[in-house]
Amino acid sequence: MEGGLVTVHPQGRHRYHRLASEEVAAALETLGGLAAAMAPPPRRWPHGEAFRSARLCYDHLAGRLGVAVHAGLTGRGWIAPAPGGWAATPAGEAGLAALGIDLAAARQARRFACDCMDWSERRAHLAGGLGREIAACCLRRHWVSRLPGEGEGDPLARRRLAVTPEGARRLGEALGVAA
């Protein structure tokens, strides 16, 4: 932090560190490229790539899909930083309502919208009432579907998701999500 390479984002009792600039990221990517040439092949993801691609984290979208939805919402200016998390912008209110997101239900949650650190992607996905309502809408409209579990007693079975062709189209159009 003293060298200006990382910044800290406090969230409740947690402290999340992130890179301070694009220049720092570029330097690390360069070092990563050098290390990749000398390193052994990466290990396989323990829960399978499908689990890393799309899943539920409690009641909201996670994995690559959740991170992409969060990036789409911020990139389109549909949510903006607010005390304790995020607030919907006027453009976001209109866009989210057009997608069928129940904003009134999202506002009834303890927190409207906040970051949740994604353990597989090491970037934030969206939690809170808005995250819950986006996931519920995607399931209700069959933009994502639940994947079958590995068998009886599979603790991850209810969390596995796959993006449907309609979901890929709709999320791509609305948020620029490449699913």
Side-chain angles (χ1 to χ4, degrees), residues 24-136:
V24 174
L28 287 175
E29 286 177 6
T30 300
L31 289 173
L34 290 172
M38 300 175 197
R43 68 180 180 92
R44 292 180 40 138
W45 190 250
H47 303 294
E49 281 302 311
F51 194 69
R52 187 175 183 184
S53 295
R55 65 179 179 277
L56 289 175
C57 175
Y58 300 100
D59 60 358
H60 53 273
L61 299 175
R64 290 184 187 120
L65 175 63
V67 168
V69 166
H70 190 298
L73 291 168
T74 57
R76 296 252 190 302
W78 286 14
I79 58 173
W86 298 92
T89 64
E93 299 255 346
L96 291 163
L99 284 175
I101 308 300
D102 187 346
L103 291 170
R107 286 194 174 89
Q108 291 177 2
R110 187 172 63 86
R111 296 174 88 178
F112 172 70
C114 57
D115 287 347
C116 182
M117 186 58 66
D118 195 279
W119 52 263
S120 65
E121 300 307 300
R122 301 287 189 234
R123 292 180 50 208
H125 58 251
L126 191 68
L130 183 58
R132 179 193 66 227
E133 292 304 317
I134 290 171

